[in-house]
Structures are given as C-alpha cells and as structure tokens.
Amino acid sequence: MTRRNWLITGANSGFGRLMTEQLLARGDTVACTVRDVTSMNDLKAQHGDALRVHRLDLTDFAAIRPTVDAAFAALGRIDVVVSNAGYGLLGAAEEATDDQVLHQLQTNLTGSIQLIRSALPHLRKQQGGRILQLSTVGGQATFPGGSMYHAGKWGIEGFVDAVAQEVAVFNIGCTLVEPGGARTNFRYGSSRVGPKIAAYDASPSRHVNRMLEEGTAVAIGDPAKMVECMIASVDQNPAPKRLALGSDAYTVMHKQLTERLAALEAQRDLAYSTDG
C-alpha cells in the first residue's frame, strides 16, 4: 500500500471525516480544512503531526489560496486533493432567498473551483497528483426540490470535466465522485430550505420538505464503504472520470442518461438540418 499525503476540505463531518479517519488509520498524512478547528481535536490528539488542521470557510475566497499554499509548504508534497466541503439547499427554486442562493453557489461551486485552481500550480510543479471532487448523483440527474443544489453540482461537474482534459498532460488525474444517498448527516444535519410558498404545496418539490421534516427516510448507502471506494480509486490509472456509488445512484443516473440520449437521437435530423 502506497502511503500518501492528502488535502481534504470539510473534514469535520460526513465523507470528509470518515475519509480522514480511514487515511490516518492506515498511516497516511492528512492536511484538512474545517471552519472550526476544535472539531478535529480528538483526531489531532490521537494522530499528532500526521494530521494538520487548517481553518477555512470556502466562501472566504481570499483565504483559499494561502491555506492551500500553507498545506503544501508544510507537507512538501500533497498527492491527493479532495474537494469535499459543501451542503444542500433544497426546496423549490422560488422559495430560496437570494442570500441562500448566493451562499450555496459560493460554497459548492465557486469555492470548489478556487480550491482546485489554487492546488494546480503545486500539482504541476511536483509533476503529478490526483483531484477528487465530491459531486453527487444530483450532478448527473435531477429531482424536483433540488434545483439550487443541482445548479452548483452540474456547474462543478462541467468545470472538473474540462480541467481534467487541460491537466492530463501534467500527470494530474481528476475524478468526480457521484454518490447516491448515504447515511451521513448531510440530509438531516446540514441541508437547508427556503421559506415555504403556499402555492408550492401542489408541487412535487414539496416531497423534499416533507422528507426533511419527517426525518425518517434511511439512505441506502454505507458511507464507510463509499469512502473506501474513493480512496481505492486513487490507485487506478488512468483516473476514473466518474465514480458512481450506490445502487440508487447507478439506477437513477442510468435512467436519466438513457432518456437524454434517446431524446438527442430523436433530434438528429433537426440538428443536421441547421448546418450552413
């Protein structure tokens, strides 16, 4: 097993926390970012210098590059950058406040973009590395009540897809991780909703509100198994462009991609007819 140095954002909960724990347990070194550094005190006490904790809020764009620079300087080399920090803004698009929309996109899209852009000069200099961008089944398929969350995830998928082609020449691989529902605190702990508009009681978007209010639905995905797959993907060469995790993710993505391809093929003649 190759021991590596990792940089992980949002390491205090969910996939980020589980990944940090698994990596430290196997002897890797982790530089992590969190908004509250005290949330990592237990792991820091247990693993010492194998865990480097940096304070960072991804909406503080001016702090992203200095934080990434400090992490690389401290470890000398970082083999894998994991862009994990993010949260869900759910409910109908019209119901979200302007501030909620801005914060969601700053965190899930712009902050993730700036993190990767900040890491690329270091990865180029060391002539290689791997980027794991946490996306979701919602980066390839859509659901009513998820429009604002989809906006950020579809955006970051397009960004990483293009960046992967730009940086392959530098031996830098990029993987979009697309998990389905997982038994983390993402759904009931960190997700946010906008103020309800009564007219949307008739909309299928309201299913999301009811799910969050009832808090009884149990996700199918085992987050520990998913994290194991994320870590193992780094050993694959070339890097997988996407990593679908969970039977729900596979089923929903397969259905929507098949339907989209069929709709495109039905427009072939129309598309060709507009050539000059």
Side-chain angles (χ1 to χ4, degrees), residues 39-64:
S39 65
M40 305 300 290
N41 282 353
D42 58 332
L43 287 182
K44 182 66 177 173
Q46 183 179 356
H47 296 280
D49 287 343
L51 176 64
R52 312 296 179 95
V53 184
H54 302 265
R55 179 182 288 107
L56 178 64
D57 185 327
L58 277 186
T59 63
D60 183 3
F61 303 145
I64 294 176

mmCIF file of all heavy atoms in Angstrom, residues 39-64:
data_model
loop_
_atom_site.group_PDB
_atom_site.id
_atom_site.type_symbol
_atom_site.label_atom_id
_atom_site.label_comp_id
_atom_site.label_asym_id
_atom_site.label_seq_id
_atom_site.Cartn_x
_atom_site.Cartn_y
_atom_site.Cartn_z
ATOM 1 N N SER A 39 -13.120 21.105 16.174
ATOM 2 C CA SER A 39 -13.882 19.906 15.814
ATOM 3 C C SER A 39 -12.979 18.734 15.483
ATOM 4 O O SER A 39 -13.448 17.589 15.397
ATOM 5 C CB SER A 39 -14.802 20.205 14.624
ATOM 6 O OG SER A 39 -14.050 20.514 13.456
ATOM 7 N N MET A 40 -11.683 18.997 15.305
ATOM 8 C CA MET A 40 -10.732 17.933 14.978
ATOM 9 C C MET A 40 -9.801 17.616 16.145
ATOM 10 O O MET A 40 -8.838 16.871 15.978
ATOM 11 C CB MET A 40 -9.905 18.340 13.755
ATOM 12 C CG MET A 40 -10.717 18.725 12.533
ATOM 13 S SD MET A 40 -11.791 17.387 11.941
ATOM 14 C CE MET A 40 -10.572 16.239 11.281
ATOM 15 N N ASN A 41 -10.093 18.147 17.317
ATOM 16 C CA ASN A 41 -9.184 17.973 18.466
ATOM 17 C C ASN A 41 -8.972 16.505 18.825
ATOM 18 O O ASN A 41 -7.860 16.107 19.194
ATOM 19 C CB ASN A 41 -9.719 18.725 19.681
ATOM 20 C CG ASN A 41 -9.453 20.218 19.607
ATOM 21 O OD1 ASN A 41 -8.760 20.691 18.705
ATOM 22 N ND2 ASN A 41 -10.014 20.975 20.539
ATOM 23 N N ASP A 42 -10.019 15.694 18.716
ATOM 24 C CA ASP A 42 -9.876 14.284 19.099
ATOM 25 C C ASP A 42 -8.914 13.547 18.169
ATOM 26 O O ASP A 42 -8.028 12.800 18.632
ATOM 27 C CB ASP A 42 -11.235 13.594 19.133
ATOM 28 C CG ASP A 42 -11.971 13.667 17.799
ATOM 29 O OD1 ASP A 42 -11.742 14.635 17.048
ATOM 30 O OD2 ASP A 42 -12.763 12.748 17.509
ATOM 31 N N LEU A 43 -9.052 13.770 16.872
ATOM 32 C CA LEU A 43 -8.147 13.116 15.929
ATOM 33 C C LEU A 43 -6.737 13.687 16.016
ATOM 34 O O LEU A 43 -5.756 12.955 15.863
ATOM 35 C CB LEU A 43 -8.677 13.254 14.501
ATOM 36 C CG LEU A 43 -9.901 12.411 14.132
ATOM 37 C CD1 LEU A 43 -10.263 12.624 12.670
ATOM 38 C CD2 LEU A 43 -9.652 10.933 14.411
ATOM 39 N N LYS A 44 -6.638 14.966 16.270
ATOM 40 C CA LYS A 44 -5.320 15.592 16.407
ATOM 41 C C LYS A 44 -4.581 15.018 17.610
ATOM 42 O O LYS A 44 -3.376 14.731 17.539
ATOM 43 C CB LYS A 44 -5.478 17.109 16.538
ATOM 44 C CG LYS A 44 -4.168 17.866 16.639
ATOM 45 C CD LYS A 44 -3.350 17.761 15.366
ATOM 46 C CE LYS A 44 -2.077 18.577 15.454
ATOM 47 N NZ LYS A 44 -1.188 18.345 14.286
ATOM 48 N N ALA A 45 -5.288 14.841 18.700
ATOM 49 C CA ALA A 45 -4.661 14.279 19.905
ATOM 50 C C ALA A 45 -4.208 12.840 19.671
ATOM 51 O O ALA A 45 -3.192 12.395 20.213
ATOM 52 C CB ALA A 45 -5.648 14.337 21.069
ATOM 53 N N GLN A 46 -4.950 12.125 18.839
ATOM 54 C CA GLN A 46 -4.630 10.716 18.593
ATOM 55 C C GLN A 46 -3.503 10.529 17.586
ATOM 56 O O GLN A 46 -2.682 9.621 17.725
ATOM 57 C CB GLN A 46 -5.901 10.012 18.096
ATOM 58 C CG GLN A 46 -5.726 8.515 17.857
ATOM 59 C CD GLN A 46 -7.011 7.855 17.391
ATOM 60 O OE1 GLN A 46 -8.062 8.495 17.322
ATOM 61 N NE2 GLN A 46 -6.943 6.571 17.067
ATOM 62 N N HIS A 47 -3.422 11.421 16.581
ATOM 63 C CA HIS A 47 -2.504 11.189 15.470
ATOM 64 C C HIS A 47 -1.386 12.222 15.348
ATOM 65 O O HIS A 47 -0.499 12.053 14.503
ATOM 66 C CB HIS A 47 -3.290 11.126 14.156
ATOM 67 C CG HIS A 47 -4.239 9.970 14.087
ATOM 68 N ND1 HIS A 47 -3.834 8.696 13.786
ATOM 69 C CD2 HIS A 47 -5.580 9.898 14.304
ATOM 70 C CE1 HIS A 47 -4.881 7.877 13.795
ATOM 71 N NE2 HIS A 47 -5.947 8.585 14.107
ATOM 72 N N GLY A 48 -1.409 13.254 16.140
ATOM 73 C CA GLY A 48 -0.307 14.212 16.157
ATOM 74 C C GLY A 48 -0.051 14.869 14.814
ATOM 75 O O GLY A 48 -0.971 15.316 14.132
ATOM 76 N N ASP A 49 1.222 14.884 14.395
ATOM 77 C CA ASP A 49 1.609 15.590 13.173
ATOM 78 C C ASP A 49 1.132 14.909 11.893
ATOM 79 O O ASP A 49 1.279 15.475 10.804
ATOM 80 C CB ASP A 49 3.135 15.737 13.112
ATOM 81 C CG ASP A 49 3.638 16.779 14.100
ATOM 82 O OD1 ASP A 49 2.817 17.590 14.567
ATOM 83 O OD2 ASP A 49 4.850 16.779 14.392
ATOM 84 N N ALA A 50 0.568 13.713 12.010
ATOM 85 C CA ALA A 50 0.003 13.073 10.820
ATOM 86 C C ALA A 50 -1.259 13.793 10.362
ATOM 87 O O ALA A 50 -1.715 13.596 9.233
ATOM 88 C CB ALA A 50 -0.307 11.611 11.097
ATOM 89 N N LEU A 51 -1.818 14.641 11.212
ATOM 90 C CA LEU A 51 -2.993 15.432 10.874
ATOM 91 C C LEU A 51 -2.666 16.913 11.052
ATOM 92 O O LEU A 51 -2.313 17.350 12.144
ATOM 93 C CB LEU A 51 -4.183 15.055 11.766
ATOM 94 C CG LEU A 51 -5.452 15.889 11.563
ATOM 95 C CD1 LEU A 51 -6.010 15.688 10.158
ATOM 96 C CD2 LEU A 51 -6.510 15.531 12.611
ATOM 97 N N ARG A 52 -2.776 17.662 9.974
ATOM 98 C CA ARG A 52 -2.573 19.113 10.013
ATOM 99 C C ARG A 52 -3.930 19.767 9.779
ATOM 100 O O ARG A 52 -4.593 19.503 8.768
ATOM 101 C CB ARG A 52 -1.587 19.560 8.930
ATOM 102 C CG ARG A 52 -0.288 18.733 8.853
ATOM 103 C CD ARG A 52 0.554 18.851 10.098
ATOM 104 N NE ARG A 52 1.751 18.039 9.999
ATOM 105 C CZ ARG A 52 2.943 18.510 9.593
ATOM 106 N NH1 ARG A 52 3.068 19.780 9.225
ATOM 107 N NH2 ARG A 52 3.991 17.703 9.552
ATOM 108 N N VAL A 53 -4.342 20.615 10.703
ATOM 109 C CA VAL A 53 -5.675 21.211 10.662
ATOM 110 C C VAL A 53 -5.572 22.690 10.313
ATOM 111 O O VAL A 53 -4.843 23.445 10.972
ATOM 112 C CB VAL A 53 -6.403 21.031 12.007
ATOM 113 C CG1 VAL A 53 -7.829 21.581 11.913
ATOM 114 C CG2 VAL A 53 -6.432 19.559 12.426
ATOM 115 N N HIS A 54 -6.307 23.098 9.287
ATOM 116 C CA HIS A 54 -6.319 24.494 8.842
ATOM 117 C C HIS A 54 -7.746 25.032 8.906
ATOM 118 O O HIS A 54 -8.687 24.343 8.505
ATOM 119 C CB HIS A 54 -5.803 24.611 7.402
ATOM 120 C CG HIS A 54 -4.422 24.084 7.203
ATOM 121 N ND1 HIS A 54 -3.307 24.884 7.249
ATOM 122 C CD2 HIS A 54 -3.971 22.816 6.952
ATOM 123 C CE1 HIS A 54 -2.226 24.150 7.029
ATOM 124 N NE2 HIS A 54 -2.600 22.893 6.847
ATOM 125 N N ARG A 55 -7.887 26.251 9.373
ATOM 126 C CA ARG A 55 -9.203 26.883 9.405
ATOM 127 C C ARG A 55 -9.501 27.490 8.035
ATOM 128 O O ARG A 55 -8.702 28.245 7.492
ATOM 129 C CB ARG A 55 -9.267 27.977 10.468
ATOM 130 C CG ARG A 55 -10.628 28.685 10.534
ATOM 131 C CD ARG A 55 -10.666 29.801 11.552
ATOM 132 N NE ARG A 55 -10.667 29.269 12.922
ATOM 133 C CZ ARG A 55 -9.636 29.323 13.759
ATOM 134 N NH1 ARG A 55 -8.488 29.869 13.349
ATOM 135 N NH2 ARG A 55 -9.733 28.836 14.981
ATOM 136 N N LEU A 56 -10.671 27.138 7.463
ATOM 137 C CA LEU A 56 -11.045 27.691 6.164
ATOM 138 C C LEU A 56 -12.551 27.597 5.974
ATOM 139 O O LEU A 56 -13.152 26.551 6.196
ATOM 140 C CB LEU A 56 -10.353 26.927 5.026
ATOM 141 C CG LEU A 56 -10.694 27.390 3.603
ATOM 142 C CD1 LEU A 56 -10.217 28.819 3.366
ATOM 143 C CD2 LEU A 56 -10.109 26.449 2.558
ATOM 144 N N ASP A 57 -13.138 28.692 5.543
ATOM 145 C CA ASP A 57 -14.511 28.732 5.060
ATOM 146 C C ASP A 57 -14.426 28.972 3.565
ATOM 147 O O ASP A 57 -13.835 29.965 3.127
ATOM 148 C CB ASP A 57 -15.287 29.871 5.748
ATOM 149 C CG ASP A 57 -16.761 29.892 5.368
ATOM 150 O OD1 ASP A 57 -17.087 29.533 4.227
ATOM 151 O OD2 ASP A 57 -17.581 30.290 6.216
ATOM 152 N N LEU A 58 -14.973 28.067 2.765
ATOM 153 C CA LEU A 58 -14.814 28.166 1.313
ATOM 154 C C LEU A 58 -15.439 29.418 0.714
ATOM 155 O O LEU A 58 -15.157 29.759 -0.432
ATOM 156 C CB LEU A 58 -15.397 26.933 0.627
ATOM 157 C CG LEU A 58 -14.508 25.689 0.536
ATOM 158 C CD1 LEU A 58 -15.195 24.626 -0.305
ATOM 159 C CD2 LEU A 58 -13.143 26.014 -0.035
ATOM 160 N N THR A 59 -16.303 30.092 1.469
ATOM 161 C CA THR A 59 -16.856 31.344 0.952
ATOM 162 C C THR A 59 -15.898 32.509 1.160
ATOM 163 O O THR A 59 -16.143 33.604 0.645
ATOM 164 C CB THR A 59 -18.205 31.675 1.610
ATOM 165 O OG1 THR A 59 -18.020 31.887 3.014
ATOM 166 C CG2 THR A 59 -19.199 30.540 1.408
ATOM 167 N N ASP A 60 -14.826 32.288 1.903
ATOM 168 C CA ASP A 60 -13.785 33.308 2.079
ATOM 169 C C ASP A 60 -12.735 33.079 0.992
ATOM 170 O O ASP A 60 -11.690 32.497 1.216
ATOM 171 C CB ASP A 60 -13.168 33.184 3.474
ATOM 172 C CG ASP A 60 -12.122 34.260 3.758
ATOM 173 O OD1 ASP A 60 -11.909 35.142 2.888
ATOM 174 O OD2 ASP A 60 -11.519 34.220 4.850
ATOM 175 N N PHE A 61 -13.034 33.575 -0.204
ATOM 176 C CA PHE A 61 -12.200 33.261 -1.358
ATOM 177 C C PHE A 61 -10.758 33.719 -1.187
ATOM 178 O O PHE A 61 -9.821 33.057 -1.646
ATOM 179 C CB PHE A 61 -12.794 33.881 -2.625
ATOM 180 C CG PHE A 61 -14.201 33.454 -2.919
ATOM 181 C CD1 PHE A 61 -15.106 34.330 -3.489
ATOM 182 C CD2 PHE A 61 -14.635 32.166 -2.621
ATOM 183 C CE1 PHE A 61 -16.410 33.938 -3.755
ATOM 184 C CE2 PHE A 61 -15.931 31.759 -2.883
ATOM 185 C CZ PHE A 61 -16.828 32.654 -3.453
ATOM 186 N N ALA A 62 -10.554 34.845 -0.526
ATOM 187 C CA ALA A 62 -9.203 35.383 -0.358
ATOM 188 C C ALA A 62 -8.332 34.468 0.497
ATOM 189 O O ALA A 62 -7.100 34.521 0.409
ATOM 190 C CB ALA A 62 -9.260 36.778 0.257
ATOM 191 N N ALA A 63 -8.962 33.614 1.319
ATOM 192 C CA ALA A 63 -8.192 32.752 2.219
ATOM 193 C C ALA A 63 -7.864 31.398 1.603
ATOM 194 O O ALA A 63 -7.042 30.652 2.145
ATOM 195 C CB ALA A 63 -8.977 32.532 3.520
ATOM 196 N N ILE A 64 -8.482 31.068 0.475
ATOM 197 C CA ILE A 64 -8.314 29.719 -0.074
ATOM 198 C C ILE A 64 -6.887 29.476 -0.540
ATOM 199 O O ILE A 64 -6.238 28.495 -0.143
ATOM 200 C CB ILE A 64 -9.312 29.471 -1.221
ATOM 201 C CG1 ILE A 64 -10.741 29.465 -0.676
ATOM 202 C CG2 ILE A 64 -8.994 28.139 -1.921
ATOM 203 C CD1 ILE A 64 -11.810 29.319 -1.744
#
